[in-house]
Coordinates of all heavy atoms in Angstrom, one line a residue:
M777 N 13.6 -0.2 -0.7 CA 12.5 -0.8 0.1 C 11.8 -1.9 -0.7 O 11.6 -1.7 -2.0 CB 11.5 0.3 0.3 CG 10.6 0.4 1.4 SD 11.2 1.0 3.0 CE 11.5 -0.5 3.9
R778 N 11.5 -3.0 -0.1 CA 10.8 -4.1 -0.8 C 9.4 -4.2 -0.4 O 9.0 -3.9 0.8 CB 11.6 -5.4 -0.8 CG 11.7 -5.9 0.6 CD 12.5 -7.3 0.5 NE 11.5 -8.3 1.0 CZ 11.8 -9.1 2.0 NH1 13.0 -9.0 2.6 NH2 11.0 -9.9 2.5
Y779 N 8.6 -4.7 -1.3 CA 7.2 -4.9 -1.0 C 6.9 -6.1 -0.1 O 7.5 -7.2 -0.3 CB 6.5 -5.2 -2.3 CG 5.0 -5.6 -2.2 CD1 4.1 -4.6 -1.9 CD2 4.6 -6.9 -2.3 CE1 2.7 -4.9 -1.8 CE2 3.2 -7.2 -2.2 CZ 2.3 -6.2 -1.9 OH 1.0 -6.5 -1.8
I780 N 6.2 -5.8 1.0 CA 5.8 -6.8 1.9 C 4.3 -6.7 2.1 O 3.8 -5.6 2.6 CB 6.5 -6.7 3.3 CG1 8.0 -6.8 3.1 CG2 6.0 -7.8 4.3 CD1 8.8 -6.6 4.3
K781 N 3.6 -7.7 1.6 CA 2.2 -7.6 1.6 C 1.5 -7.3 3.0 O 0.6 -6.5 3.0 CB 1.6 -9.0 1.1 CG 0.1 -9.0 0.9 CD -0.4 -10.3 0.3 CE -1.8 -10.3 0.0 NZ -2.2 -11.6 -0.6
S782 N 2.0 -7.9 4.1 CA 1.4 -7.7 5.3 C 1.5 -6.2 5.8 O 0.7 -5.6 6.4 CB 2.0 -8.6 6.4 OG 3.3 -8.4 6.5
Q783 N 2.7 -5.7 5.5 CA 2.9 -4.3 5.8 C 2.1 -3.3 5.0 O 1.6 -2.3 5.5 CB 4.5 -3.9 5.6 CG 5.4 -4.4 6.7 CD 6.8 -4.0 6.4 OE1 7.7 -4.8 6.6 NE2 7.0 -2.8 5.9
M784 N 1.9 -3.7 3.8 CA 1.1 -2.8 2.9 C -0.4 -2.9 3.4 O -1.1 -1.9 3.4 CB 1.2 -3.3 1.5 CG 0.7 -2.3 0.5 SD 1.5 -0.7 0.6 CE 0.3 0.3 -0.4
K785 N -0.9 -4.1 3.8 CA -2.2 -4.2 4.3 C -2.4 -3.4 5.5 O -3.4 -2.6 5.7 CB -2.6 -5.6 4.6 CG -2.9 -6.5 3.5 CD -3.2 -7.9 4.0 CE -3.8 -8.8 2.9 NZ -4.2 -10.1 3.4
Q786 N -1.4 -3.4 6.4 CA -1.5 -2.6 7.7 C -1.5 -1.1 7.3 O -2.3 -0.3 7.9 CB -0.3 -2.9 8.6 CG -0.5 -2.2 9.9 CD 0.5 -2.7 10.9 OE1 1.3 -3.6 10.7 NE2 0.6 -2.0 12.0
L787 N -0.7 -0.7 6.4 CA -0.6 0.8 6.0 C -1.9 1.2 5.5 O -2.4 2.3 5.8 CB 0.5 1.0 5.0 CG 0.8 2.4 4.6 CD1 1.3 3.2 5.8 CD2 1.8 2.4 3.4
V788 N -2.6 0.4 4.7 CA -3.8 0.8 4.1 C -4.9 0.8 5.1 O -5.8 1.7 5.2 CB -4.3 -0.2 2.9 CG1 -5.7 -0.1 2.5 CG2 -3.3 -0.1 1.8
R789 N -4.9 -0.2 6.1 CA -5.9 -0.2 7.2 C -5.8 1.1 8.0 O -6.8 1.5 8.5 CB -5.6 -1.4 8.1 CG -6.7 -2.4 8.1 CD -6.4 -3.5 9.1 NE -5.5 -4.5 8.5 CZ -4.4 -5.0 9.0 NH1 -4.1 -4.7 10.2 NH2 -3.6 -5.8 8.3
E790 N -4.7 1.7 8.1 CA -4.4 2.8 9.0 C -4.7 4.2 8.2 O -4.7 5.2 8.9 CB -3.0 2.9 9.6 CG -2.7 1.7 10.5 CD -1.3 1.6 10.9 OE1 -0.5 2.4 10.5 OE2 -1.0 0.7 11.7
D791 N -5.0 4.2 7.0 CA -5.1 5.4 6.2 C -6.3 5.3 5.3 O -6.4 4.6 4.4 CB -3.8 5.7 5.4 CG -3.8 7.0 4.8 OD1 -4.6 7.3 3.8 OD2 -3.0 7.8 5.2
V792 N -7.2 6.3 5.5 CA -8.5 6.3 4.8 C -8.2 6.6 3.3 O -8.9 6.0 2.4 CB -9.5 7.3 5.4 CG1 -10.7 7.4 4.6 CG2 -9.8 6.9 6.8
R793 N -7.3 7.5 3.1 CA -7.0 7.9 1.7 C -6.5 6.6 0.9 O -6.9 6.5 -0.3 CB -6.0 9.0 1.6 CG -5.8 9.5 0.2 CD -4.8 10.8 0.2 NE -4.5 11.1 -1.1 CZ -3.5 10.7 -1.8 NH1 -2.7 9.8 -1.3 NH2 -3.3 11.2 -3.0
L794 N -5.7 5.9 1.5 CA -5.1 4.7 0.8 C -6.2 3.6 0.6 O -6.3 3.0 -0.4 CB -4.0 4.0 1.6 CG -2.6 4.8 1.5 CD1 -1.6 4.1 2.4 CD2 -2.2 4.9 0.1
Q795 N -7.2 3.6 1.6 CA -8.3 2.6 1.4 C -9.1 3.0 0.2 O -9.5 2.2 -0.6 CB -9.2 2.7 2.6 CG -8.6 2.1 3.9 CD -9.3 2.3 5.2 OE1 -10.5 2.7 5.1 NE2 -8.7 2.1 6.3
Q796 N -9.4 4.3 0.0 CA -10.1 4.8 -1.1 C -9.4 4.5 -2.4 O -10.0 4.1 -3.4 CB -10.4 6.3 -0.9 CG -11.4 6.6 0.2 CD -11.4 8.1 0.5 OE1 -10.6 8.9 0.1 NE2 -12.5 8.5 1.3
K797 N -8.1 4.8 -2.4 CA -7.3 4.6 -3.6 C -7.3 3.1 -4.0 O -7.3 2.7 -5.2 CB -5.9 5.1 -3.4 CG -5.8 6.6 -3.5 CD -4.3 7.0 -3.6 CE -4.2 8.2 -4.3 NZ -3.5 8.2 -5.5
L798 N -7.2 2.2 -3.0 CA -7.2 0.8 -3.3 C -8.5 0.3 -3.9 O -8.5 -0.4 -4.9 CB -7.0 0.0 -2.0 CG -7.0 -1.5 -2.0 CD1 -5.8 -2.0 -2.9 CD2 -7.0 -2.2 -0.6
K799 N -9.6 0.8 -3.3 CA -10.9 0.4 -3.9 C -11.1 1.0 -5.3 O -11.6 0.3 -6.2 CB -12.0 1.0 -2.9 CG -13.4 0.6 -3.3 CD -14.4 1.2 -2.3 CE -15.8 0.7 -2.7 NZ -16.8 1.2 -1.8
Q800 N -10.6 2.2 -5.5 CA -10.6 2.8 -6.9 C -9.8 2.0 -7.9 O -10.3 1.7 -9.0 CB -10.1 4.2 -6.8 CG -10.2 4.9 -8.1 CD -9.6 6.4 -8.0 OE1 -9.1 6.7 -7.0 NE2 -9.9 7.1 -9.0
L801 N -8.6 1.6 -7.5 CA -7.8 0.7 -8.3 C -8.5 -0.6 -8.7 O -8.5 -1.0 -9.9 CB -6.5 0.4 -7.7 CG -5.3 1.4 -7.8 CD1 -4.1 1.0 -7.0 CD2 -4.9 1.5 -9.3
M802 N -9.1 -1.2 -7.7 CA -9.7 -2.5 -7.9 C -10.9 -2.4 -8.8 O -11.1 -3.2 -9.8 CB -10.2 -3.1 -6.5 CG -9.1 -3.5 -5.6 SD -9.6 -4.0 -3.9 CE -10.6 -5.4 -4.3
E803 N -11.7 -1.3 -8.7 CA -12.9 -1.1 -9.5 C -12.4 -0.7 -11.0 O -13.0 -1.3 -12.0 CB -13.8 -0.1 -8.9 CG -14.5 -0.6 -7.7 CD -15.3 0.6 -7.0 OE1 -15.2 1.8 -7.4 OE2 -15.8 0.3 -5.9
E804 N -11.6 0.3 -11.1 CA -11.2 0.8 -12.4 C -10.5 -0.2 -13.3 O -10.6 -0.2 -14.5 CB -10.3 2.1 -12.3 CG -11.0 3.3 -11.8 CD -10.2 4.5 -11.8 OE1 -9.0 4.5 -12.2 OE2 -10.6 5.5 -11.2
H805 N -9.6 -1.0 -12.7 CA -8.8 -1.9 -13.5 C -9.2 -3.4 -13.3 O -8.5 -4.3 -13.8 CB -7.4 -1.7 -13.1 CG -6.9 -0.3 -13.3 ND1 -6.6 0.2 -14.6 CD2 -6.7 0.7 -12.5 CE1 -6.2 1.4 -14.5 NE2 -6.2 1.8 -13.2
D806 N -10.3 -3.6 -12.6 CA -10.8 -4.9 -12.3 C -9.7 -5.9 -11.8 O -9.4 -6.9 -12.3 CB -11.4 -5.5 -13.6 CG -12.3 -6.7 -13.4 OD1 -12.8 -6.9 -12.3 OD2 -12.3 -7.6 -14.3
L807 N -9.1 -5.4 -10.7 CA -8.0 -6.1 -10.1 C -8.4 -6.8 -8.8 O -9.3 -6.3 -8.1 CB -6.8 -5.2 -9.7 CG -6.1 -4.5 -10.8 CD1 -5.1 -3.4 -10.3 CD2 -5.3 -5.5 -11.7
E808 N -7.8 -7.9 -8.5 CA -8.0 -8.6 -7.2 C -7.2 -7.8 -6.2 O -6.3 -7.0 -6.6 CB -7.3 -10.0 -7.3 CG -8.1 -10.9 -8.2 CD -7.4 -12.3 -8.2 OE1 -6.6 -12.6 -7.3 OE2 -7.6 -13.0 -9.2
K809 N -7.6 -7.9 -5.0 CA -7.0 -7.0 -3.9 C -5.5 -7.2 -3.8 O -4.8 -6.2 -3.7 CB -7.7 -7.4 -2.6 CG -7.3 -6.5 -1.4 CD -8.0 -6.8 -0.1 CE -7.6 -5.8 0.9 NZ -8.4 -5.9 2.1
S810 N -5.0 -8.4 -3.9 CA -3.5 -8.5 -3.8 C -2.8 -7.8 -4.8 O -1.7 -7.3 -4.7 CB -3.2 -10.0 -3.8 OG -3.6 -10.6 -5.0
F811 N -3.3 -7.8 -6.2 CA -2.7 -7.1 -7.2 C -2.8 -5.6 -7.1 O -1.9 -4.9 -7.3 CB -3.2 -7.5 -8.6 CG -2.9 -9.0 -8.9 CD1 -3.9 -9.9 -9.1 CD2 -1.6 -9.4 -9.0 CE1 -3.7 -11.2 -9.4 CE2 -1.3 -10.7 -9.3 CZ -2.4 -11.6 -9.5
A812 N -3.9 -5.2 -6.6 CA -4.2 -3.8 -6.4 C -3.3 -3.2 -5.3 O -2.8 -2.1 -5.3 CB -5.7 -3.5 -6.0
L813 N -3.1 -4.0 -4.2 CA -2.2 -3.6 -3.1 C -0.8 -3.4 -3.7 O -0.1 -2.4 -3.3 CB -2.1 -4.7 -2.1 CG -3.1 -4.6 -1.0 CD1 -3.1 -5.9 -0.1 CD2 -3.0 -3.4 -0.1
K814 N -0.3 -4.3 -4.5 CA 1.0 -4.2 -5.1 C 1.1 -2.9 -6.0 O 2.1 -2.2 -6.0 CB 1.4 -5.5 -5.9 CG 2.9 -5.6 -6.1 CD 3.2 -7.0 -6.5 CE 4.7 -7.2 -6.3 NZ 5.1 -8.5 -6.5
A815 N 0.1 -2.7 -6.8 CA 0.1 -1.5 -7.6 C 0.1 -0.2 -6.8 O 0.8 0.7 -7.1 CB -1.2 -1.5 -8.5
L816 N -0.7 -0.2 -5.7 CA -0.7 0.9 -4.9 C 0.6 1.1 -4.2 O 1.1 2.3 -4.0 CB -1.8 0.7 -3.7 CG -2.1 1.8 -2.8 CD1 -2.7 3.0 -3.7 CD2 -3.2 1.4 -1.8
Y817 N 1.3 0.1 -3.8 CA 2.6 0.2 -3.2 C 3.6 0.9 -4.2 O 4.3 1.8 -3.8 CB 3.1 -1.2 -2.9 CG 4.7 -1.2 -2.6 CD1 5.1 -0.8 -1.3 CD2 5.6 -1.6 -3.6 CE1 6.5 -0.8 -1.1 CE2 6.9 -1.5 -3.3 CZ 7.4 -1.2 -2.0 OH 8.7 -1.2 -1.8
H818 N 3.6 0.5 -5.5 CA 4.5 1.1 -6.4 C 4.1 2.5 -6.7 O 4.9 3.3 -7.1 CB 4.5 0.2 -7.7 CG 5.3 -1.1 -7.5 ND1 6.7 -1.1 -7.3 CD2 4.9 -2.4 -7.4 CE1 7.0 -2.3 -7.1 NE2 6.0 -3.1 -7.2
A819 N 2.8 2.8 -6.7 CA 2.4 4.2 -7.0 C 2.6 5.2 -5.8 O 3.0 6.3 -6.0 CB 0.9 4.1 -7.3
E820 N 2.4 4.7 -4.5 CA 2.4 5.6 -3.4 C 3.5 5.4 -2.4 O 3.8 6.3 -1.6 CB 1.1 5.5 -2.7 CG -0.2 5.8 -3.5 CD -0.3 7.3 -3.9 OE1 0.3 8.1 -3.1 OE2 -0.9 7.6 -4.9
V821 N 4.2 4.3 -2.5 CA 5.2 4.0 -1.4 C 6.6 3.9 -2.0 O 7.6 4.6 -1.6 CB 4.9 2.7 -0.7 CG1 6.0 2.4 0.4 CG2 3.5 2.8 0.0
A822 N 6.8 3.1 -2.9 CA 8.2 2.8 -3.5 C 8.8 4.1 -4.1 O 8.1 4.9 -4.6 CB 8.1 1.7 -4.6
D823 N 10.1 4.1 -4.1 CA 10.8 5.1 -4.8 C 10.4 6.6 -4.3 O 10.0 7.4 -5.0 CB 10.7 5.1 -6.3 CG 11.2 3.8 -6.8 OD1 12.2 3.2 -6.2 OD2 10.6 3.3 -7.8
S824 N 10.5 6.8 -2.9 CA 10.2 8.1 -2.3 C 8.8 8.6 -2.5 O 8.6 9.7 -2.6 CB 11.2 9.1 -3.0 OG 12.5 8.8 -2.8
G825 N 7.9 7.6 -2.5 CA 6.5 8.0 -2.5 C 6.1 8.7 -1.2 O 6.8 8.7 -0.2
K826 N 4.9 9.1 -1.2 CA 4.3 9.9 -0.2 C 4.2 9.1 1.1 O 4.4 9.7 2.2 CB 2.9 10.4 -0.5 CG 2.2 11.2 0.5 CD 0.9 11.6 0.0 CE 0.1 12.4 1.1 NZ -1.2 12.9 0.7
Y827 N 4.1 7.8 1.1 CA 3.9 7.0 2.3 C 5.1 6.2 2.6 O 5.0 5.3 3.5 CB 2.7 6.1 2.1 CG 1.3 6.8 2.0 CD1 0.9 7.2 0.7 CD2 0.7 7.2 3.1 CE1 -0.3 7.9 0.6 CE2 -0.5 7.9 3.0 CZ -1.0 8.3 1.8 OH -2.2 9.0 1.7
M828 N 6.2 6.4 2.0 CA 7.4 5.6 2.2 C 7.8 5.7 3.7 O 8.2 4.6 4.3 CB 8.6 6.1 1.3 CG 9.8 5.2 1.6 SD 11.3 5.8 0.8 CE 11.2 5.0 -0.7
E829 N 7.8 6.7 4.3 CA 8.3 6.9 5.7 C 7.4 6.0 6.7 O 7.8 5.3 7.5 CB 8.3 8.3 6.2 CG 9.0 8.5 7.5 CD 10.4 8.0 7.6 OE1 11.1 8.2 6.5 OE2 10.8 7.5 8.6
A830 N 6.1 6.1 6.4 CA 5.1 5.3 7.3 C 5.3 3.8 7.0 O 5.3 3.0 8.0 CB 3.7 5.7 6.9
Y831 N 5.5 3.4 5.8 CA 5.8 2.0 5.5 C 7.1 1.6 6.1 O 7.2 0.5 6.7 CB 5.9 1.9 4.0 CG 6.0 0.5 3.5 CD1 4.9 -0.3 3.3 CD2 7.3 0.0 3.1 CE1 5.0 -1.6 2.8 CE2 7.4 -1.3 2.6 CZ 6.2 -2.1 2.5 OH 6.3 -3.4 2.0
R832 N 8.2 2.4 6.1 CA 9.4 2.1 6.6 C 9.3 1.9 8.2 O 9.9 1.0 8.8 CB 10.4 3.2 6.3 CG 11.9 2.8 6.9 CD 12.9 3.8 6.4 NE 13.2 3.6 5.0 CZ 13.3 4.6 4.1 NH1 13.1 5.8 4.4 NH2 13.5 4.3 2.8
E833 N 8.5 2.7 8.8 CA 8.3 2.6 10.3 C 7.6 1.3 10.6 O 7.9 0.7 11.7 CB 7.4 3.8 10.8 CG 8.1 5.1 10.8 CD 7.3 6.3 11.1 OE1 6.1 6.1 11.6 OE2 7.7 7.4 11.0
L834 N 6.7 0.8 9.8 CA 6.1 -0.5 10.0 C 7.1 -1.6 10.0 O 7.1 -2.5 10.8 CB 5.0 -0.7 9.0 CG 3.8 0.1 9.1 CD1 2.8 -0.2 7.9 CD2 3.0 -0.1 10.4
D835 N 8.1 -1.5 9.2 CA 9.2 -2.4 9.1 C 10.0 -2.4 10.3 O 10.5 -3.4 10.8 CB 10.0 -2.2 7.8 CG 11.0 -3.3 7.5 OD1 10.6 -4.5 7.7 OD2 12.1 -3.0 7.0
D836 N 10.2 -1.2 10.8 CA 11.1 -1.0 12.0 C 10.4 -1.6 13.2 O 11.1 -2.0 14.2 CB 11.4 0.4 12.2 CG 12.4 1.0 11.1 OD1 13.0 0.2 10.4 OD2 12.4 2.2 11.0
L837 N 9.1 -1.7 13.3 CA 8.4 -2.2 14.4 C 8.6 -3.7 14.6 O 8.3 -4.2 15.7 CB 6.9 -1.9 14.3 CG 6.6 -0.3 14.4 CD1 5.1 -0.1 14.2 CD2 7.0 0.2 15.8
K838 N 8.9 -4.4 13.6 CA 9.1 -5.9 13.6 C 10.3 -6.3 14.5 O 11.2 -5.7 14.6 CB 9.2 -6.4 12.3 CG 7.8 -6.4 11.6 CD 8.0 -7.1 10.2 CE 6.5 -7.1 9.7 NZ 6.5 -7.8 8.4

């Protein structure tokens, strides 16, 4: 699976837990939103992460 910023934004918009994790990453590591999104992708989606299936479904909708 490859990182697609628009899909990741949509996934975060649809999940409150991911919204909280994104905000936490931005605050804790002083990251801009785009970098925090990519970090969140690698932590929660890539390589059989918890949200991989939801992310994959977003790709299938295109």
Side-chain angles (χ1 to χ4, degrees):
M777 208 84 259
R778 63 176 240 236
Y779 174 76
I780 300 171
K781 187 177 181 178
S782 61
Q783 282 180 223
M784 194 59 196
K785 280 183 170 182
Q786 185 175 351
L787 186 65
V788 169
R789 246 183 276 133
E790 295 174 357
D791 191 286
V792 175
R793 185 173 176 271
L794 285 177
Q795 291 171 15
Q796 292 169 345
K797 285 189 151 245
L798 179 65
K799 187 175 180 179
Q800 182 181 11
L801 273 172
M802 289 171 67
E803 290 173 359
E804 284 182 13
H805 301 284
D806 194 30
L807 293 173
E808 293 177 21
K809 187 174 182 176
S810 60
F811 294 119
L813 272 172
K814 198 164 196 173
L816 189 61
Y817 168 80
H818 287 290
E820 299 292 333
V821 178
D823 301 326
S824 302
K826 180 178 179 181
Y827 295 94
M828 181 189 271
E829 190 61 37
Y831 187 82
R832 185 174 284 137
E833 288 174 11
L834 290 174
D835 192 37
D836 291 342
L837 294 176
K838 289 185 174 183

